[in-house]
Amino acid sequence: MKITPLKNSFDISFTQLASDKSISHRAAIFSLLSKGENHIKNYLQAQDCLNTLNTIKALGAKVENINDGEYIITAPDKIISANKILECGNSGTAMRIFMGLLAGIKDEFFVLSGDMYLNERPMRRITKPLSSVGAKFYGRDNANKAPIAICGQELNYFNYHSPIASAQVKTALILASLQNKGAIISEDELSRDHSEKMLKAMGANLSQKIDKNGKHKITINPLQAPLNPLNISIPNDPSSCFFFGVAAAITKNAKVKFQNILLNPTRIQAFKVLEKMGAQISYEKNACLYDDIGTLTISAPQEGLKAVEIDDKISWLIDEAPALAIAFACANGTSVLKNAKELRVKESDRIAVTINALKACGIKAQELDDGFIITGDPQSKNLKPAQIDSHGDHRIAMSFAILGLRCGMEISGAEFISTSFPNFKQCLDSLYGDQNAKF
């Protein structure tokens, strides 16, 4: 992908960018625990989410494609062993959640695999706690790397404190315990909580509290009956919208409005950081279907973005960190992100890849073990186009496409954008107006 510099400002309203990837995965997977027809509209038509639909079909679900992005999913009476490898593509979310779901299905056998990048990502954060209560996983590096084979077992009750705040880990453990003897799961910092909200709305018996030590605890009681089926229209993904939020924040006199966007507080923290940097942002809730949904508007600050230091609520903005780095690179001053070591084990080592790419663009940037330090170039005095390798990471590719609006950019591995945001190029093209954009 080759990006040409943007010569104009823009004022644009998006009604449809990309449906929420996290909610799409969960809607399909959670439907396996329900009875009746699950009606899902606006399901993300990206390769990773389509892989998830193929996986639930292989597990016995009936999936009817009503219209583009609209499905009726009927769960099987019992999840069955698949007669093929279950492909998760590039999605750590899908693989980890399926691992939790399938680990406790007694006497069944499953194999999960992904692409060359996913199969190098750590899975012990799932296999270790579940193996301690009876689950059986087999894979490379002592079941830390896929392909992962699962021999379903009856699992014991467990009380587990997660050393990392991870919505993927939490969701996997919730699904495993729901089907067996229950659990208590705790984490120091609340991770993104859309799974709990969706499952409770479907009838799962979950309770949440903060204990005297400040830990977030979830008590999960075993299912006594199948969950109620979903009836959901999936909102726009704030993580995907954030790329265009950054585009507005770094472009003088620009403004962008996102409609039908998920406004869960644990999903819009990156926008709160942009606010701290000076961007003008408004939030308008206008619906609540399993979670808050509404309109979000961003305008570029007249004096440009200012530097910021971020070291808390990192689990709420971990996916947006590469795009935040682009905002840092265009801000006045030196910005710092800390406590984000999880970035090392995403689709790529997002700390190293981001910093190396920024240096190639003429930006002063430094790796930390758990984050980065970036000195901005708000006037683009040293900013220059570069050839960037995405390392198979869709968020790296999209982030540097946004920086390319300032200086031009050539990105290899841009095809991985389709795993989460298939119409990204079309949305990017709309920013150029009458200008001839080249991609």
Side-chain angles (χ1 to χ4, degrees), residues 205-261:
N205 188 351
L206 310 178
S207 61
Q208 298 160 271
K209 70 175 184 178
I210 301 176
D211 70 12
K212 61 182 180 181
N213 297 315
K215 291 183 172 60
H216 293 262
K217 284 192 172 183
I218 307 172
T219 300
I220 303 104
N221 294 297
L223 288 178
Q224 302 301 313
L227 295 174
N228 301 318
L230 284 162
N231 186 355
I232 187 172
S233 180
I234 296 173
N236 283 327
D237 190 329
S239 298
S240 295
C241 294
F242 188 68
F243 296 104
F244 292 94
V246 171
I250 66 173
T251 304
K252 189 175 182 179
N253 298 323
K255 181 179 180 180
V256 65
K257 178 185 288 187
F258 307 112
Q259 300 181 42
N260 189 40
I261 184 173

Side-chain angles (χ1 to χ4, degrees), residues 45-274:
Q45 299 296 284
Q47 190 56 54
D48 280 349
C49 293
L50 297 177
N51 287 337
T52 291
L53 290 180
N54 289 332
T55 293
I56 68 170
K57 284 194 287 186
L59 296 173
K62 181 181 178 182
V63 180
E64 300 176 73
N65 187 352
I66 306 303
N67 288 304
D68 190 33
E70 182 177 356
Y71 296 89
I72 294 177
I73 299 173
T74 307
D77 293 332
K78 182 181 185 301
I79 295 174
I80 58 173
S81 299
N83 64 359
K84 62 180 183 179
I85 293 173
L86 304 173
E87 294 290 347
C88 298
N90 194 242
S91 178
T93 297
M95 180 171 284
R96 291 183 178 124
I97 293 178
F98 273 123
M99 287 171 68
L101 175 81
L102 302 176
I105 301 177
K106 189 177 179 181
D107 299 328
E108 300 294 341
F109 178 78
F110 314 94
V111 178
L112 295 166
S113 190
D115 65 17
M116 60 182 288
Y117 299 99
L118 177 58
N119 283 1
E120 294 302 317
R121 294 179 66 184
M123 297 297 151
R124 191 171 289 125
R125 58 188 59 185
I126 305 295
T127 62
K128 183 178 179 180
L130 290 182
S131 293
S132 71
V133 292
K136 293 189 181 299
F137 298 97
Y138 302 92
R140 297 181 301 125
D141 188 21
N142 194 26
N144 186 41
K145 294 181 179 179
I148 297 281
I150 304 168
C151 296
Q153 307 289 317
E154 183 176 351
L155 305 181
N156 297 319
Y157 173 89
F158 59 93
N159 188 330
Y160 181 71
H161 177 71
S162 180
I164 57 171
S166 166
Q168 295 175 3
V169 172
K170 180 171 60 177
T171 303
L173 299 182
I174 289 172
L175 293 184
S177 58
L178 274 176
Q179 300 175 88
N180 287 273
K181 298 180 180 180
I184 294 176
I185 301 166
S186 63
E187 51 190 358
D188 291 331
E189 176 183 274
L190 177 66
S191 59
R192 291 173 167 179
D193 63 350
H194 28 346
S195 290
E196 299 96 296
K197 289 185 175 182
M198 290 178 69
L199 287 166
K200 286 176 73 172
M202 295 174 74
N205 188 351
L206 310 178
S207 61
Q208 298 160 271
K209 70 175 184 178
I210 301 176
D211 70 12
K212 61 182 180 181
N213 297 315
K215 291 183 172 60
H216 293 262
K217 284 192 172 183
I218 307 172
T219 300
I220 303 104
N221 294 297
L223 288 178
Q224 302 301 313
L227 295 174
N228 301 318
L230 284 162
N231 186 355
I232 187 172
S233 180
I234 296 173
N236 283 327
D237 190 329
S239 298
S240 295
C241 294
F242 188 68
F243 296 104
F244 292 94
V246 171
I250 66 173
T251 304
K252 189 175 182 179
N253 298 323
K255 181 179 180 180
V256 65
K257 178 185 288 187
F258 307 112
Q259 300 181 42
N260 189 40
I261 184 173
L262 181 65
L263 293 179
N264 179 311
T266 68
R267 294 294 305 279
I268 57 172
Q269 184 63 20
F271 290 98
K272 298 295 185 180
V273 174
L274 277 188

Side-chain angles (χ1 to χ4, degrees), residues 149-418:
I150 304 168
C151 296
Q153 307 289 317
E154 183 176 351
L155 305 181
N156 297 319
Y157 173 89
F158 59 93
N159 188 330
Y160 181 71
H161 177 71
S162 180
I164 57 171
S166 166
Q168 295 175 3
V169 172
K170 180 171 60 177
T171 303
L173 299 182
I174 289 172
L175 293 184
S177 58
L178 274 176
Q179 300 175 88
N180 287 273
K181 298 180 180 180
I184 294 176
I185 301 166
S186 63
E187 51 190 358
D188 291 331
E189 176 183 274
L190 177 66
S191 59
R192 291 173 167 179
D193 63 350
H194 28 346
S195 290
E196 299 96 296
K197 289 185 175 182
M198 290 178 69
L199 287 166
K200 286 176 73 172
M202 295 174 74
N205 188 351
L206 310 178
S207 61
Q208 298 160 271
K209 70 175 184 178
I210 301 176
D211 70 12
K212 61 182 180 181
N213 297 315
K215 291 183 172 60
H216 293 262
K217 284 192 172 183
I218 307 172
T219 300
I220 303 104
N221 294 297
L223 288 178
Q224 302 301 313
L227 295 174
N228 301 318
L230 284 162
N231 186 355
I232 187 172
S233 180
I234 296 173
N236 283 327
D237 190 329
S239 298
S240 295
C241 294
F242 188 68
F243 296 104
F244 292 94
V246 171
I250 66 173
T251 304
K252 189 175 182 179
N253 298 323
K255 181 179 180 180
V256 65
K257 178 185 288 187
F258 307 112
Q259 300 181 42
N260 189 40
I261 184 173
L262 181 65
L263 293 179
N264 179 311
T266 68
R267 294 294 305 279
I268 57 172
Q269 184 63 20
F271 290 98
K272 298 295 185 180
V273 174
L274 277 188
E275 278 191 272
K276 290 182 180 179
M277 298 179 74
Q280 299 172 37
I281 305 182
S282 66
Y283 309 84
E284 181 185 354
K285 175 185 169 182
N286 48 43
C288 184
L289 183 62
Y290 301 95
D291 219 328
D292 291 346
I293 300 168
T295 301
L296 191 154
T297 305
I298 301 178
S299 299
Q302 289 298 315
E303 302 301 320
L305 295 174
K306 58 186 179 183
V308 68
E309 293 191 13
I310 304 297
D311 60 7
D312 65 345
K313 295 184 178 177
I314 300 302
S315 65
W316 293 13
L317 52 75
I318 199 75
D319 287 337
E320 294 84 5
L324 266 179
I326 302 306
F328 291 177
C330 298
N332 184 22
T334 298
S335 297
V336 182
L337 177 72
K338 293 182 179 179
N339 296 328
K341 197 169 184 177
E342 181 71 6
L343 290 170
R344 296 283 188 188
V345 291
K346 288 294 193 176
E347 283 81 342
S348 66
D349 179 342
R350 286 181 175 163
I351 294 175
V353 172
T354 298
I355 295 309
N356 288 336
L358 285 175
K359 288 179 178 178
C361 296
I363 296 295
K364 184 179 178 181
Q366 175 188 342
E367 282 189 47
L368 301 175
D369 181 56
D370 62 349
F372 40 68
I373 301 172
I374 298 170
T375 300
D377 184 8
Q379 304 303 321
S380 301
K381 293 179 180 178
N382 300 307
L383 189 61
K384 60 184 180 182
Q387 294 183 338
I388 301 302
D389 183 351
S390 75
H391 293 267
D393 192 328
H394 56 126
R395 298 197 191 277
I396 296 294
M398 289 186 282
S399 297
F400 281 88
I402 297 304
L403 186 58
L405 298 175
R406 291 282 290 263
C407 61
M409 199 73 62
E410 188 169 345
I411 304 166
S412 63
E415 65 272 14
F416 286 93
I417 292 172
S418 66

